[in-house]
Amino acid sequence: MKFSRRTTMAFAVVGALALGSTLGACSSDDSSSGDSGSTTLDPNTKVTLNVVGLLPGAKPEAQQALAQEVADFQKENPNITVKTHDYEWKATTFAADLAGGTLPTVFEIPFTDAKTLIANQQISDMQAYLTQLSYASNFNTNLLQYGQGPDSHVYAIPAKSIYAVGLHYNRALFTQAGLDPNKPPTTWEEVRTAAKAIAEKTGQAGFAQMAKDGTGGWQLTVDTYARGGRMEDGKKATLTNDATKASLQFLKDLRWTDNSMGANFGYDWSGINQAFAAGKIGMYTSGQDVYTSLVQTNNIDPKTYGLTMIPLSGGESGVLGGGTMAAVSSKANNNEKAAAIKWIDFHYLRKYTNQDAAKKNAETMVASKQPVGTPELPIFSQTQYQQYQDWIKSYVNVPLDQMTTFTGKVFGAKLVNEPAIATQDVYKALDTAVQAVLTDKDANIDQLLNDANAKAQRAIDAAG
């Protein structure tokens, strides 16, 4: 899903984002109120481009790195002025922000949302602009399709945080609880045992789960996939499947039988990251790319961080995957769109295809003490991604040796897309079930899922 987060891609080939302020008029052509009529920006035409920046609360070092990147971009494109704005994609506020015109001209969306925005004509057709990039034909087509409209044109562009969900764990709490941080859990029963030990020995939550603003449903879907279940079968909601029931029962057991989930049962994506970085959570599930945010926003101690595969059980079990796309407001004129593709190239993509750009980006990040080398899944080919890894190898400053039980296994796992229809509505319907199980000892799992399934089906039917 990834709220700086979350969100879908087709991973078969790969495996074989809160608004800071109201922006009003988000971008402007400073030399003319009209378009150039071309997909190429005249170097004499001045454009001010508002774009998403970092998560709210990002550390000064992260802001410094972004400011340097903007300066480098503007040096290369002196006719474009870039203004960045704090941004975190949230299901509860995004639609209103978009409708109200308060988003930057270039903004980030989950893979799951692109088709709806295209259908509603809320993002720009970027096909003619994208084809100007030398590497435009090299995208993983299974990825690119999520940003394509019925006309096969590209409206949203795969940009960053292409992830598979992993199990994040606190190595320090593992040690304090008498557990071996180099041997993290490989089954859900081992997760439960470790969570109980952490809670009993350290007083912190052994395991925590996101629960609101769609994140509860997102992570319950993660748990369901890991046990071989699915939330949709074509246009039919299947939230009452046995794997989802088992996932809720697991949470209920940790919460009420083991008392190993602490006292906070209302986490969202940013909240659980903050608590984990502060040493208040032993384990939680989220995208494998979240380490960057933990450093930039939450000041995590790298020595305490561990990443491993989520436990998989059953023949159809798989890992939920997602990522972030860059989109351009449908209100943008041609000059703004031409400027936007230059920024999308420079900020998100060029480093994966150009050695000099890769090294320059890595140097900038290292100089500002920002993470370089956080595990990702490839936007282009796996071969291209490996070449990128070779380019930045000498700059890597993340504890990859504490992530090997994830990175060494993820490409061998079945990677599964998020529910394809009415994704956010499905997640919101499941939020209620997660919250009830964590706050009501007598919660009836069957009834909760029946109710959630009915809500999800109505949303699926409405989506056509």
Side-chain angles (χ1 to χ4, degrees):
M1 197 175 172
K2 194 160 178 235
F3 309 119
S4 183
R5 159 215 17 128
R6 25 208 178 180
T7 44
T8 307
M9 59 185 281
F11 281 98
V13 172
V14 177
L17 331 229
L19 202 60
S21 60
T22 298
L23 306 181
C26 293
S27 281
S28 62
D29 178 340
D30 296 335
S31 64
S32 170
S33 60
D35 286 352
S36 65
S38 170
T39 58
T40 302
L41 183 63
D42 186 322
N44 295 316
T45 298
K46 293 184 178 180
V47 176
T48 297
L49 188 68
N50 284 278
V51 305
V52 300
L54 300 169
L55 290 170
K59 294 167 58 180
E61 294 86 354
Q63 297 286 1
Q64 177 185 342
L66 180 59
Q68 182 60 56
E69 189 175 4
V70 169
D72 291 341
F73 174 82
Q74 292 180 160
K75 183 177 181 181
E76 183 176 306
N77 301 275
N79 58 323
I80 304 174
T81 299
V82 170
K83 295 184 178 181
T84 63
H85 302 266
D86 290 351
Y87 178 90
E88 181 183 355
W89 188 96
K90 288 189 175 183
T92 52
T93 59
F94 176 77
D97 291 333
L98 181 60
T102 60
L103 291 178
T105 297
V106 181
F107 53 90
E108 297 171 359
I109 59 173
F111 273 72
T112 50
D113 283 27
K115 296 292 188 183
T116 298
L117 297 177
I118 294 168
N120 293 339
Q121 299 182 338
Q122 292 174 297
I123 56 178
S124 290
D125 182 343
M126 295 299 291
Q127 180 69 32
Y129 302 89
L130 180 64
T131 55
Q132 298 173 20
L133 303 180
S134 61
Y135 51 80
S137 63
N138 297 334
F139 279 96
N140 179 337
T141 55
N142 273 8
L143 252 183
L144 199 63
Q145 67 174 320
Y146 286 93
Q148 291 177 315
D151 54 4
S152 296
H153 286 196
V154 174
Y155 291 73
I157 302 169
K160 69 173 188 178
S161 303
I162 311 303
Y163 70 90
V165 170
L167 179 67
H168 306 263
Y169 66 100
N170 185 304
R171 293 173 61 88
L173 290 180
F174 264 60
T175 299
Q176 293 172 35
L179 304 168
D180 186 346
N182 295 318
K183 296 180 179 179
T186 60
T187 68
W188 288 111
E189 193 57 39
E190 289 178 1
V191 170
R192 181 177 179 182
T193 299
K196 187 175 182 180
I198 291 168
E200 291 177 348
K201 299 290 181 60
T202 73
Q204 304 297 343
F207 183 89
Q209 185 95 340
M210 300 179 217
K212 68 177 185 178
D213 298 343
T215 63
W218 174 42
Q219 289 305 299
L220 187 59
T221 301
V222 168
D223 302 341
T224 295
Y225 286 2
R227 291 175 169 85
R230 299 293 186 268
M231 295 303 189
E232 293 178 354
D233 181 5
K235 294 186 177 181
K236 180 181 179 182
T238 58
L239 279 58
T240 57
N241 68 84
D242 290 342
T244 304
K245 292 180 182 179
S247 299
L248 281 176
Q249 187 62 52
F250 174 79
L251 294 176
K252 193 173 185 180
D253 290 341
L254 264 65
R255 166 68 176 97
W256 298 103
T257 302
D258 301 344
N259 192 28
S260 61
M261 296 188 70
N264 190 332
F265 310 111
Y267 286 121
D268 61 5
W269 184 81
S270 57
I272 205 167
N273 290 344
Q274 182 178 5
F276 178 76
K280 298 179 180 179
I281 295 172
M283 294 173 285
Y284 76 115
T285 55
S286 190
Q288 101 282 334
D289 60 318
V290 82
Y291 179 79
T292 295
S293 178
L294 292 172
V295 172
Q296 291 182 336
T297 307
N298 305 119
N299 200 33
I300 195 171
D301 179 355
K303 294 179 181 179
T304 69
Y305 180 79
L307 172 66
T308 192
M309 289 287 291
I310 61 171
L312 301 176
S313 57
E316 294 301 313
S317 62
V319 180
L320 183 147
T324 297
M325 306 192 95
V328 178
S329 170
S330 60
K331 298 177 182 179
N333 63 38
N334 287 350
N335 289 331
E336 292 164 352
K337 286 183 277 190
I341 200 64
K342 288 179 177 291
W343 174 252
I344 291 169
D345 166 43
F346 188 93
H347 179 60
Y348 295 107
L349 298 173
R350 192 185 301 181
K351 66 182 179 181
Y352 296 117
T353 62
N354 181 282
Q355 184 173 2
D356 291 339
K359 289 186 174 182
K360 175 64 175 178
N361 178 265
E363 288 172 357
T364 298
M365 299 300 279
V366 168
S368 301
K369 300 180 180 179
Q370 297 305 292
V372 175
T374 299
E376 306 172 68
L377 297 180
I379 289 176
F380 300 104
S381 68
Q382 193 166 343
T383 299
Q384 181 69 50
Y385 179 68
Q386 185 55 57
Q387 184 176 59
Y388 164 69
Q389 291 292 316
D390 292 341
W391 290 338
I392 66 168
K393 187 174 182 180
S394 63
Y395 300 96
V396 171
N397 58 6
V398 304
L400 292 179
D401 58 336
Q402 295 163 206
M403 308 179 192
T404 56
T405 51
F406 178 87
T407 56
K409 297 179 180 180
V410 66
F411 286 108
K414 179 184 294 185
L415 292 141
V416 187
N417 298 329
E418 294 182 72
I421 306 174
T423 312
Q424 306 304 334
D425 292 304
V426 170
Y427 288 160
K428 291 175 186 176
L430 288 165
D431 270 0
T432 301
V434 174
Q435 292 165 6
V437 162
L438 296 180
T439 58
D440 180 2
K441 187 175 183 178
D442 298 319
N444 185 313
I445 290 174
D446 287 340
Q447 186 60 54
L448 288 168
L449 289 179
N450 285 335
D451 293 345
N453 197 76
K455 292 179 182 177
Q457 190 61 61
R458 288 195 293 270
I460 291 170
D461 291 343

